[in-house]
């Protein structure tokens, strides 16, 4: 249903009921009028009829009790006006009864706020998205909460209040936000990721008919091209040959090298089980799995180095009760450990698990051709690429 326009005639007036006099005082009633429809309700205030101005619909005189009554009536008038505006913003039919119900909290529906939209999305997405993906929506929600509280002085906002100005103001807030903890300020693409998630939220609200207009209609995302780091063959060799006495660093180093030789992301390697290691038609071992993020099937040849690393951890004490190929660490921890590994090996690049698959694309194109002709893999991958 579309938002009701200015065609609505809305008014609030206060009257007294002389037919309900009690101890010489009359009860005060609020009269709501919308498009000719009238409804009354008692405001639980009593006044001497001699102190009532019927034309103004308010008490007259300077007595303290009259001033208190008039102050209460002003608050009721303001609250009824807010109820009227909220019904408009929700796109609901405006009636005198609906305003009264909203005033007393009896409208029976939770308002369509940004908070409610995120709660609905997260509840539904919990069935389809992994936690590693879903948690980013919680981060975006926290940034929105900070923005709304800091700039709008509210706890949440109605969805109908989200417009183009809200979007660009939120973008400016993200760009100028300075974290108080150890986190780095957001770069341009980091800002865009939060705006993409907000756009997904508003698109969901459109499909649910919770809003009528797309606030992103005239907004353009501003992505910057980022050149990803690549390791040289020498840098990978330095990592391969380095042995660590600290177990956590050795494990993460081995998993990183494994990713370089398989092209798998860390989350996919972390989920590998023995059942994912199968014999291919060439008689060699392959990894057969699904990308967690995209569920795309992956068939990857298991080369000598990668095969050695798998065998190394088959009897590891941390895997005795787990159906996994490798011991597990959180994504945050492994990237932190990789920075230690890079420093130890004298590598100045920002070493993360996103770097590892970058090395495998060309290599595995060649290797699949080699496997087709049953070439035995006796050289390291970098020797094969450059010989």
């Amino acid at each position: 249903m579309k938002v009701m326009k200015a065609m609505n005639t809305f008014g609030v007036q206060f009257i007294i009921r002389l037919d309900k006099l009690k101890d010489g005082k009359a009860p005060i009633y609020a009269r709501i009028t919308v498009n000719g429809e009238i409804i009354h309700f008692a405001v639980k205030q009593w006044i001497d009829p001699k102190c009532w101005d019927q034309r103004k619909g308010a008490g007259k005189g300077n007595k303290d009790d009259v001033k208190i009554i008039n102050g209460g009536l002003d608050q009721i008038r303001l609250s009824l006006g807010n109820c009227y505006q909220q019904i408009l913003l929700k796109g609901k039919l405006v009636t005198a009864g609906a305003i009264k119900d909203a005033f007393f909290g009896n409208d029976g529906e939770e308002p369509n706020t940004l908070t409610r939209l995120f709660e609905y999305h997260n509840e539904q997405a919990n069935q389809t998205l992994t936690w590693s993906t879903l948690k980013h929506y919680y981060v975006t929600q926290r940034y929105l909460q900070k923005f709304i509280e800091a700039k709008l002085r509210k706890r949440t906002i109605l969805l109908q209040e989200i417009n183009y100005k809200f979007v660009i103001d939120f973008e400016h807030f993200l760009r100028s936000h300075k974290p108080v903890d150890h986190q780095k300020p957001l770069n341009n693409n980091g800002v865009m990721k939060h705006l993409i998630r907000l756009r997904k939220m508003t698109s969901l609200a459109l499909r649910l008919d919770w809003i009528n207009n797309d606030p992103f209609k005239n907004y353009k995302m501003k992505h910057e091209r980022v050149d990803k780091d690549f390791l040289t063959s020498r840098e990978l060799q330095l990592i391969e040959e380095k042995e660590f006495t600290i177990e956590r660093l050795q494990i993460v180093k081995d998993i990183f090298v494994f990713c370089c030789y398989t092209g798998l992301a860390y989350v996919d390697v972390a989920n590998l089980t023995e059942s994912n290691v199968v014999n291919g038609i060439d008689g060699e071992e392959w990894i057969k799995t699904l990308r967690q993020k995209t569920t795309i099937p992956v068939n990857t040849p298991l080369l000598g180095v990668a095969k050695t690393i798998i065998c190394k951890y088959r009897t590891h004490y941390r895997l005795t009760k787990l159906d996994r190929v490798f011991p597990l660490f959180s994504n945050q921890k492994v990237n932190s450990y990789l920075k230690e590994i890079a420093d130890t090996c004298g590598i100045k690049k920002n070493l993360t698990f996103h770097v590892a698959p970058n090395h495998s694309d060309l290599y595995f194109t060649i290797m699949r051709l080699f496997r087709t002709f049953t070439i035995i893999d006796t050289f390291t991958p970098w020797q094969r690429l450059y010989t």
Side-chain angles (χ1 to χ4, degrees):
M1 180 175 293
K2 293 183 178 180
V3 176
M4 300 297 290
K5 306 285 184 181
M7 65 179 68
N8 293 307
T9 58
F10 165 68
V12 176
Q13 187 180 7
F14 295 101
I15 63 171
I16 59 173
R17 294 282 299 269
L18 296 176
D19 59 326
K20 292 182 178 290
L21 284 172
K22 183 178 180 180
D23 299 329
K25 292 187 176 182
I28 303 174
Y29 278 70
R31 173 187 286 169
I32 306 171
T33 304
V34 176
N35 299 332
E37 176 195 5
I38 298 174
I39 198 168
H40 298 87
F41 65 88
V43 300
K44 298 182 180 181
Q45 293 283 354
W46 296 74
I47 193 169
D48 186 337
K50 296 178 183 179
C51 299
W52 183 256
D53 188 327
Q54 184 175 351
R55 184 179 63 84
K56 293 183 178 179
K60 59 184 178 180
N62 295 319
K63 292 182 179 180
D64 289 341
D65 57 343
V66 172
K67 290 180 179 179
I68 292 173
I69 289 173
N70 285 342
L73 297 182
D74 288 341
Q75 287 296 321
I76 293 173
R77 190 190 305 275
L78 179 62
S79 295
L80 289 170
N82 288 336
C83 292
Y84 170 73
Q85 292 296 331
Q86 288 182 13
I87 293 172
L88 280 177
L89 289 170
K90 292 178 187 177
K92 297 180 180 178
L93 180 65
V94 181
T95 66
I99 294 173
K100 177 186 173 182
D101 286 341
F103 177 78
F104 285 104
N106 298 325
D107 53 356
E109 287 190 28
E110 184 182 351
N112 290 330
T113 63
L114 184 60
T115 300
R116 184 187 178 200
L117 179 63
F118 264 97
E119 289 173 351
Y120 177 83
H121 168 269
N122 294 341
E123 180 182 349
Q124 300 298 317
N126 191 47
Q127 308 298 322
T128 56
L129 298 180
T130 63
W131 168 246
S132 61
T133 299
L134 186 59
K135 69 180 180 182
H136 295 304
Y137 285 90
Y138 285 100
V139 174
T140 298
Q141 187 177 5
R142 287 198 294 272
Y143 273 112
L144 281 163
Q145 187 70 42
K146 291 179 181 178
F147 166 67
I148 292 168
E149 291 178 0
K151 301 300 180 181
L152 307 181
R153 308 297 181 188
K154 299 180 181 181
R155 287 291 299 168
T156 188
I157 63 168
L158 296 171
L159 292 177
Q160 292 288 358
E161 295 180 87
I162 300 178
N163 52 23
Y164 177 81
K165 184 178 184 303
F166 179 93
V167 174
I168 58 175
D169 286 349
F170 181 50
E171 178 189 349
H172 177 73
F173 172 81
L174 291 173
R175 292 188 186 282
S176 58
H177 180 67
K178 297 180 180 179
V180 296
D181 54 15
H182 64 283
Q183 295 178 339
K184 296 180 180 179
L186 292 170
N187 58 24
N188 176 79
N189 289 356
V191 170
M192 290 301 108
K193 287 178 181 179
H194 289 296
L195 288 167
I196 287 172
R197 294 183 200 112
L198 176 59
R199 184 171 62 182
K200 288 182 179 179
M201 293 294 99
T202 57
S203 296
L204 174 61
L206 280 167
R207 293 194 297 271
L208 292 169
D209 291 326
W210 288 5
I211 58 175
N212 304 292
N213 300 304
D214 181 7
F216 282 88
K217 181 179 179 181
N218 297 314
Y219 183 84
K220 291 186 177 180
M221 297 288 176
K222 312 174 190 72
H223 291 284
E224 293 179 356
R225 181 175 177 177
V226 177
D227 294 326
K228 295 183 179 180
D229 283 331
F230 286 81
L231 289 181
T232 64
S233 58
R234 174 58 182 162
E235 289 168 334
L236 179 59
Q237 185 179 358
L238 286 172
I239 295 173
E240 280 191 70
E241 293 176 351
K242 182 65 179 178
E243 294 295 323
F244 293 91
T245 56
I246 301 174
E247 184 186 43
R248 59 179 171 82
L249 296 181
Q250 183 63 36
I251 293 173
V252 171
K253 184 213 85 168
D254 287 338
I255 296 176
F256 178 79
V257 172
F258 183 86
C259 288
C260 289
Y261 279 80
T262 59
L264 294 175
Y266 174 74
V267 66
D268 297 318
V269 172
N271 291 328
L272 282 182
T273 66
E274 286 291 343
S275 61
N276 295 128
V277 182
V278 300
N279 287 323
I281 58 174
D282 59 353
E284 299 291 340
E285 287 185 318
W286 287 62
I287 291 177
K288 188 178 177 110
T289 186
L290 298 174
R291 298 276 187 191
Q292 178 171 304
K293 190 170 183 178
T294 61
T295 68
I296 295 175
V298 175
N299 294 301
T300 300
L302 193 57
L303 309 180
V305 174
K307 193 183 300 185
T308 300
I309 294 173
I310 283 184
C311 293
K312 177 179 178 179
Y313 288 94
R314 277 191 171 131
T315 58
H316 194 275
Y317 71 95
R318 290 182 57 183
L319 298 174
T320 53
K321 296 183 179 180
L322 295 175
D323 185 23
R324 289 288 186 273
V325 171
F326 295 109
L328 300 179
F329 297 94
S330 70
N331 223 325
Q332 184 179 7
K333 284 185 177 180
V334 295
N335 282 318
S336 173
Y337 297 159
L338 277 178
K339 288 178 174 56
E340 291 186 57
I341 293 170
D343 290 341
T344 304
C345 295
I347 297 173
K348 304 301 182 184
K349 295 174 181 175
N350 182 27
L351 195 61
T352 70
F353 270 92
H354 291 294
V355 175
N358 292 339
H359 298 275
S360 58
D361 296 340
L362 173 61
Y363 172 63
F364 281 110
T365 299
I366 297 172
M367 274 305 304
R368 286 187 178 96
L369 291 174
F370 284 172
R371 278 286 178 88
T372 302
F373 296 103
T374 65
I375 300 292
I376 300 174
D377 79 19
T378 55
F379 300 102
T380 68
W382 302 110
Q383 285 174 320
R384 291 189 176 201
L385 282 175
Y386 297 107
T387 56

